[in-house]
Amino acid sequence: MAEAQDQESEQDVKARKERVKDALYALDISHVEWHSAPGTEAHEERVEIAYLPEGAVAMRSSVEPETVLRYTEAEWRAFVLGARDGEFDLEPSPRNGGVSAE
């Protein structure tokens, strides 16, 4: 019984994540430093990221800089690990669930 009380219910987890996300979007990011991939020029279309407190990250497109997405550290880590593993590759490959070309 004590073990069940120690575990957060699914509803509690969802509410906690929503509070974290609300706090993340409430942050004033008007003075953050935006970074883009090395070698990109200021006039090129690119994705830019800014590092926020507690490992969070903000992301925007240079074409539409007023639209900013914000990710918690866990969300960003999951994205980066998926990208490293080929999960988001545009061309299907065995690494991302596609069939080998051989």
Side-chain angles (χ1 to χ4, degrees):
M1 182 77 170
E3 185 178 319
Q5 290 175 340
D6 289 342
Q7 295 180 356
E8 277 185 293
S9 73
E10 188 176 321
Q11 187 175 12
D12 291 340
V13 170
K14 186 176 179 180
R16 179 177 47 79
K17 286 181 178 182
E18 192 170 313
R19 285 191 304 272
V20 168
K21 203 68 160 173
D22 288 346
L24 185 58
Y25 272 87
L27 283 175
D28 175 13
I29 63 168
S30 58
H31 299 295
V32 298
E33 183 178 346
W34 291 96
H35 304 273
S36 56
T40 56
E41 301 292 328
H43 67 278
E44 291 179 305
E45 182 176 346
R46 64 198 179 284
V47 172
E48 301 172 322
I49 63 167
Y51 300 101
L52 304 178
E54 298 181 27
V57 173
M59 184 168 51
R60 70 182 186 183
S61 167
S62 63
V63 175
E64 202 174 326
E66 63 279 352
T67 301
V68 178
L69 301 174
R70 302 177 193 206
Y71 299 96
T72 64
E73 180 181 17
E75 291 170 329
W76 187 251
R77 183 179 311 279
F79 169 73
V80 169
L81 292 174
R84 284 182 186 161
D85 196 34
E87 186 176 333
F88 308 112
D89 289 354
L90 297 177
E91 295 296 322
S93 73
R95 285 181 36 179
N96 65 16
V99 178
S100 175
E102 296 175 9

